[in-house]
Amino acid sequence: MTPMPTATLVARDWAEIQERMLVPLYEAVYDRLEVGPGDRLLGLDCGAGLALLLAAGRGAVATGVEADPARRALARERLLDVLAEPPAAPPGNRPYDALLAFSPAPAALAAALPAVRRGGAVVLADWGPAERCTVPSVLGGGPVPRDLDALVERAGLRPDGSGRVFCPFGYADVDSAVRGLLSTRLYDGAADASLAEKELAEALHPYERPDGSVWLPNIFRYVIARMA
């Protein structure tokens, strides 16, 4: 049997271990927007598509954008409509009602906005305050949250509320935690991947429970804005 490419294995770890950790965030946003039948959603950096599946479960029509080929392939295995880059215009002249993006790059956000209807919701999310997030400290400095309010202002959007959601990362054991956290791609810049994996495993030991599981509490913040 031919071994899977590393990128495919990492993508599967994301889909099978890590992606579900953000379900409380997705559900809180969908509740806030009252997502339901007939709504059209566009998800930036949708990964393997779990957020899209949750929206579809509420009756919405959800389309994703995912640049990583391995994650995009997994999303399409779930029979989801996933694009390699944001659409230049609303498909079929039917703009999206909402755009959802986690830690979006300004260029990707700007490219996607023309596909959203006037008055449509734009939801941006990222890590919450550093003192309320375990993962950044475990990652040795970890991700620096984007200034979501500044992104809204620069994009010319109208602020329309915000919220915080408790998203604990729970794993069966240290090995699962390492694989899940590495699948976030926050360690992609490490010069020595094996060393990064070892250091991460060591950093996780203080968060082990007596049964061997790992528990990492985190708070995520989201902001809602509206298209002018």
Side-chain angles (χ1 to χ4, degrees), residues 86-93 96 111 114-115:
N93 293 319
Y96 294 99

Side-chain angles (χ1 to χ4, degrees), residues 55-141:
R58 293 170 176 249
V61 177
T63 300
V65 178
E66 177 54 57
D68 181 88
R71 293 190 185 196
R72 190 167 65 247
L74 289 177
R76 288 174 175 171
E77 284 181 13
R78 291 169 165 176
L79 304 181
L80 295 168
D81 181 17
V82 181
L83 311 173
E85 56 187 29
N93 293 319
R94 293 184 60 199
Y96 294 99
D97 300 297
L99 171 68
L100 312 176
F102 181 82
S103 192
L109 176 62
L113 289 178
V116 184
R117 68 172 174 82
R118 185 174 183 178
V122 178
V123 183
L124 310 179
D126 212 323
W127 298 92
E131 66 275 10
R132 302 291 304 278
C133 293
T134 307
V135 168
S137 65
V138 170
L139 293 175

Side-chain angles (χ1 to χ4, degrees), residues 133-142 181 187 199-201 203-204 207 216:
C133 293
T134 307
V135 168
S137 65
V138 170
L139 293 175
L181 290 171
Y187 264 99
E199 290 179 346
L200 181 55
L204 288 169
Y207 302 94
L216 303 171

Side-chain angles (χ1 to χ4, degrees), residues 133-160:
C133 293
T134 307
V135 168
S137 65
V138 170
L139 293 175
V144 177
R146 295 186 185 276
D147 186 336
L148 300 178
D149 300 296
L151 273 177
V152 167
E153 182 178 358
R154 285 199 299 269
L157 302 170
R158 174 169 55 86
D160 191 30

